[in-house]
Amino acid sequence: MDKIKERLASLRAEADTAVARAEDAEGKSKKLDHELMTKDQEITSLQHKIQNLEADLEKAEQRLVEAKGAKDDEESHKSVNDSLNRKIALLESELDNAEKQLRETTDKLRQVDVKAEHFERQVARVESERDAWEKKYEDAQEKYNVSKRELEEVSPHTFLPPLPFAPRGARFGTDALRCIFLEQLAQQLESI
C-alpha cells in the first residue's frame, strides 16, 4: 500500500503539476488571445490606414498626371506663344518695311506732283505763247490780205506769192515754223 500511496501521491503531484501547467497554459492562452486580439485590431487599423494611404496615393498619382498634363500644356502654350511672338516680330518688321515704302512712295508721289505742276505751268505758258503767235499770224494774214487787195487795186499785174499753207484752225507745232513764216511774210512785204 505504500506503493499505492506513493503512487497516489505521485499521481496527485502529477495532477497538481498538470493543473498548474494547465492554469499556466490557460493564462498564457488568455494572454496570447489578448495579444492576438490586439494584433487583429492593429491589423484592422493598419489595413484601414493602408486603404487611406492607397486612396491618397491614387489622388497623388492623379494630381501627378494632371501636373504632367498641365506641364505639357504649358510647354505647348509656351511653344505656341513663342511661335506667335516670332510671327508678331515678323509682322512688325513687315509693317515697318511697308511704312518705309509708303513714305518713300509718298515722297516720290509728291515729287511727281511737283513736276506735273511744273509741266502744267510750262504747257500753259507754251499754249499762251502759241495763242499769241496764232493771233500774230492771223493779224499778219489779215494785213497781208489787205495789202494784197490794195496792191491788186493799185497794180493789178503784180504777183505776190501765197503765204505758206496753213489750214484754217491749224495750230503750229514749233516756234521755228512760225519764225519761217514771219520771215517769208517780211520778205514779201519788203519786196513790194
Side-chain angles (χ1 to χ4, degrees):
M1 247 231 19
D2 266 344
K3 270 185 163 191
I4 293 182
K5 285 186 183 181
E6 276 182 25
R7 177 89 179 144
L8 260 173
S10 128
L11 283 175
R12 273 190 202 145
E14 281 181 21
D16 287 342
T17 306
V19 168
R21 275 191 345 206
E23 286 177 357
D24 187 38
E26 193 176 310
K28 285 183 181 177
S29 174
K30 283 183 183 180
K31 184 179 177 184
L32 288 175
D33 284 343
H34 181 52
E35 286 179 14
L36 180 63
M37 212 182 341
T38 305
K39 297 293 181 185
D40 283 343
Q41 288 175 353
E42 285 180 18
I43 287 172
T44 304
S45 174
L46 290 173
Q47 285 175 342
H48 183 68
K49 284 182 181 180
I50 287 172
Q51 288 175 351
N52 289 340
L53 289 173
E54 285 176 348
D56 290 345
L57 178 63
E58 285 180 15
K59 289 178 185 177
E61 287 175 347
Q62 183 64 30
R63 285 194 305 257
L64 179 63
V65 168
E66 290 173 1
K68 285 182 180 178
K71 182 179 178 184
D72 291 343
D73 287 346
E74 181 182 334
E75 289 176 3
S76 173
H77 290 304
K78 185 178 179 181
S79 173
V80 169
N81 191 26
D82 290 345
S83 175
L84 289 175
N85 284 337
R86 285 191 298 272
K87 285 182 182 178
I88 288 171
L90 180 62
L91 289 174
E92 286 175 347
S93 171
E94 289 177 1
L95 177 62
D96 290 342
N97 289 339
E99 287 175 347
K100 181 180 177 184
Q101 289 176 349
L102 178 63
R103 283 191 299 272
E104 291 173 357
T105 303
T106 304
D107 290 343
K108 288 178 182 177
L109 182 60
R110 285 184 188 137
Q111 292 173 359
V112 167
D113 283 344
V114 168
K115 287 180 182 178
E117 289 174 5
H118 175 70
F119 288 130
E120 286 174 1
R121 286 192 298 271
Q122 284 184 342
V123 166
R125 183 179 49 80
V126 167
E127 286 176 348
S128 151
E129 287 178 8
R130 181 201 62 209
D131 292 343
W133 279 107
E134 286 178 355
K135 177 74 174 143
K136 288 179 183 178
Y137 169 76
E138 289 170 3
D139 292 344
Q141 181 75 31
E142 185 63 33
K143 287 179 184 177
Y144 172 75
N145 289 336
V146 169
S147 298
K148 184 177 176 183
R149 273 187 252 124
E150 288 176 358
L151 186 59
E152 286 176 358
E153 288 174 8
V154 175
S155 163
H157 302 294
T158 309
F159 173 74
L160 280 177
L163 287 174
F165 174 76
R168 183 173 285 282
R171 302 215 180 252
F172 293 104
T174 64
D175 291 337
L177 182 59
R178 291 185 195 120
C179 291
I180 292 171
F181 169 73
L182 292 175
E183 286 176 7
Q184 288 177 350
L185 181 61
Q187 289 173 358
Q188 289 175 359
L189 290 175
E190 286 176 5
S191 66
I192 297 177

